[in-house]
Amino acid sequence: MRIKAPTMVFGCLMLIALADSGGVKPVVVSETASTVRPLVQNVGPSASRRVKPKPDLTARHVVKTVHQRSIPNEYWLFVSKRRRLAMLLKGRIPIGRMKCSVGSGKKGQPSWTVEGWRRVTESKAFPTWMPSRHIRQKLGLSRAGVIGPGSLHNALGTRWIQLAGTTQGLHGTNEPKNIGQVTYGCVAFTNRDIELIAARLAVGSRVYISP
């Protein structure tokens, strides 16, 4: 796991006190340009820890991975941990693709990102963050407590989307240049991308996280 100085945060073994631009080009099919903002790729792994390129994420791969009968008719999100890419869809229609960061741990470890279907249970704009003791030690944060919206140390960025059955969720970032690398377990996006996702995923919407 790659950890930087205090402002490097992605993550998530946390107690949620509430609870830019990145990604790859969108695939716009049914929505107009006025409703789907372009996702311009301008971030990448650092030279000290480059991520080996993975095959691109396509709608065909998504449908093949997820049983067709289980695909929702409304907006939903597919996350590929291996590719560190996500796709926002409406039914089987792709809306956009974007880079993401996922946990680096092995199954059963706190930093392992959960897999399978999860429902959205809560969505918050400009969340506060209460990092666990473990994360505070990793980041060199001496004081416990809530880190408010807008703080350089707030790893959640501009949006927090809680997933059912876990302390993990989807969120923005305070380090957009590191999207595509690793987190403490959550799925992290650039703030622009998580805002696009949050605008379409309501409470009850579904997220599928693939190994």
Side-chain angles (χ1 to χ4, degrees):
M1 182 180 302
R2 180 178 182 274
I3 305 297
K4 270 178 61 175
T7 57
M8 161 62 190
V9 199
F10 268 118
C12 267
L13 289 173
M14 66 181 73
L15 298 175
I16 300 301
L18 38 117
D20 157 284
S21 175
V24 297
K25 60 184 180 181
V27 180
V28 179
V29 178
S30 63
E31 298 204 354
T32 64
S34 62
T35 59
V36 179
R37 292 168 296 177
L39 308 178
V40 182
Q41 181 176 357
N42 71 343
V43 297
S46 65
S48 61
R49 183 169 182 174
R50 293 194 175 276
V51 179
K52 184 178 179 180
K54 303 294 192 303
D56 198 6
L57 182 63
T58 65
R60 182 177 180 181
H61 169 80
V62 171
V63 173
K64 183 178 179 180
T65 303
V66 179
H67 196 286
Q68 294 193 29
R69 292 183 179 179
S70 65
I71 295 177
N73 291 322
E74 66 273 5
Y75 287 109
W76 63 289
L77 187 72
F78 180 91
V79 177
S80 172
K81 291 168 59 175
R82 183 171 71 91
R83 290 172 171 82
R84 298 182 187 177
L85 290 172
M87 179 177 286
L88 180 67
L89 302 98
K90 188 173 186 180
R92 295 187 177 94
I93 300 174
I95 303 302
R97 294 172 300 190
M98 60 278 296
K99 281 186 177 182
C100 62
S101 297
V102 298
S104 62
K106 297 180 180 179
K107 188 172 183 178
Q109 295 179 336
S111 59
W112 178 76
T113 301
V114 297
E115 296 174 357
W117 283 110
R118 301 279 168 166
R119 287 194 181 272
V120 173
T121 60
E122 189 174 25
S123 182
K124 293 288 185 181
F126 303 103
T128 56
W129 182 45
M130 184 180 289
S132 67
R133 180 179 179 182
H134 169 72
I135 293 178
R136 291 199 310 272
Q137 290 175 344
K138 289 285 187 180
L139 300 174
L141 300 175
S142 57
R143 297 176 58 185
V146 173
I147 298 177
S151 170
L152 294 177
H153 299 290
N154 191 327
L156 304 186
T158 60
R159 297 292 186 275
W160 166 260
I161 300 175
Q162 178 67 52
L163 300 179
T166 178
T167 59
Q168 297 175 5
L170 318 175
H171 62 77
T173 181
N174 60 341
E175 289 285 345
K177 66 180 180 298
N178 290 308
I179 291 298
Q181 299 188 44
V182 298
T183 72
Y184 294 107
C186 289
V187 183
F189 299 86
T190 65
N191 290 329
R192 188 173 187 180
D193 287 350
I194 194 63
E195 289 169 15
L196 183 151
I197 293 168
R200 288 158 177 77
L201 297 187
V203 171
S205 295
R206 302 172 71 187
V207 176
Y208 187 86
I209 302 177
S210 171

